[in-house]
Amino acid sequence: MAAKIFKQGDEVAVLDDSFSGRVKSYMGSRVVIETTEGFELEFAENELVKLHNATDIKSFVSSQSMGRILKEKEEPKKRSFVKEKKSKKDGFVLEVDLHIEKLVPNKKGMSNYDILTLQTETAKRQIEFAMRNRMQRVVLIHGVGEGILKAELDFLLGRYDGITFQDADYQKYGLGATEVYIKQNPDR
């Protein structure tokens, strides 16, 4: 069995989260910590960093990999939530995935209202982008869920002139997508 990196009472921080605590014990190979809020949580050793002592951190992680970890935490990862697809038969179709995991790297701390607002604002921004760039079709991938986002999208799309919409192709997208048709004004 490998030597344990942490001992009872060590103050540690969780690498991929925004909380810290004290080491209570080991449960097998997992470290049990008590957070500052009083919750007991289990983590793998490589998910924790000891606080207040730089030499312990260097023995835990080499300085090169520590630099990489810190850089990953500071720089947001580039994400693509707009998928473009071309088909000879259908012309250009802008596909917008509105699943929250595609829009933000971490949804912790976001209320359901915040999530729904971000999703509807993204849909609105992409529809207006398509209108400005004279795109005729947009597919909004919203998922099935409880239907709240779909209802919000139906309300949003109903407010635009020159737009019709319907459920997208079931074989291609399943039940969780809406296809938007934008009527182009020829004198623009």
Side-chain angles (χ1 to χ4, degrees):
M1 190 165 151
K4 295 181 176 170
I5 296 171
F6 304 106
K7 55 186 182 290
Q8 190 173 357
D10 283 348
E11 288 192 39
V12 292
V14 180
L15 280 176
D16 289 329
D17 224 319
S18 61
F19 58 86
S20 59
R22 284 189 191 278
V23 174
K24 271 193 100 171
S25 63
Y26 271 82
M27 190 171 278
S29 63
R30 310 267 302 161
V31 181
V32 178
I33 70 164
E34 183 176 348
T35 66
T36 51
E37 291 83 21
F39 296 104
E40 286 188 13
L41 301 171
E42 289 182 34
F43 293 96
E45 287 180 332
N46 64 354
E47 294 176 304
L48 301 172
V49 175
K50 193 182 293 189
L51 296 176
H52 303 300
N53 194 338
T55 58
D56 286 341
I57 292 174
K58 285 183 182 171
S59 67
F60 172 61
V61 181
S62 72
S63 60
Q64 182 180 8
S65 62
M66 179 57 122
R68 180 182 51 79
I69 291 168
L70 291 174
K71 184 177 178 191
E72 283 177 7
K73 286 185 74 69
E74 289 172 7
E75 292 179 8
K77 290 186 174 100
K78 291 183 179 168
R79 344 175 262 293
S80 173
F81 58 88
V82 176
K83 190 167 148 191
E84 300 173 57
K85 198 155 194 169
K86 287 193 179 203
S87 167
K88 290 176 185 152
K89 180 179 79 171
D90 298 326
F92 182 81
V93 178
L94 177 66
E95 294 180 356
V96 182
D97 193 339
L98 297 173
H99 286 92
I100 193 63
E101 307 83 45
K102 301 290 185 180
L103 302 178
V104 294
N106 186 351
K107 68 177 184 175
K108 286 186 180 175
M110 291 181 76
S111 69
N112 289 343
Y113 175 80
D114 295 335
I115 292 170
L116 185 62
T117 301
L118 177 63
Q119 291 170 318
T120 54
E121 288 297 318
T122 301
K124 180 180 177 186
R125 198 170 49 250
Q126 293 301 323
I127 292 295
E128 290 174 359
F129 171 82
M131 292 170 83
R132 279 193 311 272
N133 290 286
R134 304 183 59 73
M135 295 176 190
Q136 294 181 336
R137 290 178 50 213
V138 178
V139 175
L140 301 173
I141 302 168
H142 47 73
V144 180
E146 295 177 22
I148 296 169
L149 177 58
K150 182 174 180 9
E152 284 292 319
L153 292 175
D154 288 353
F155 178 74
L156 171 73
L157 295 171
R159 294 171 49 196
Y160 287 98
D161 291 331
I163 285 184
T164 58
F165 57 96
Q166 65 186 29
D167 290 341
D169 181 17
Y170 174 75
Q171 289 184 328
K172 188 171 183 181
Y173 299 104
L175 291 172
T178 299
E179 189 162 13
V180 180
Y181 298 95
I182 303 169
K183 295 176 189 142
Q184 299 298 325
N185 190 353
D187 59 335
R188 280 179 58 182

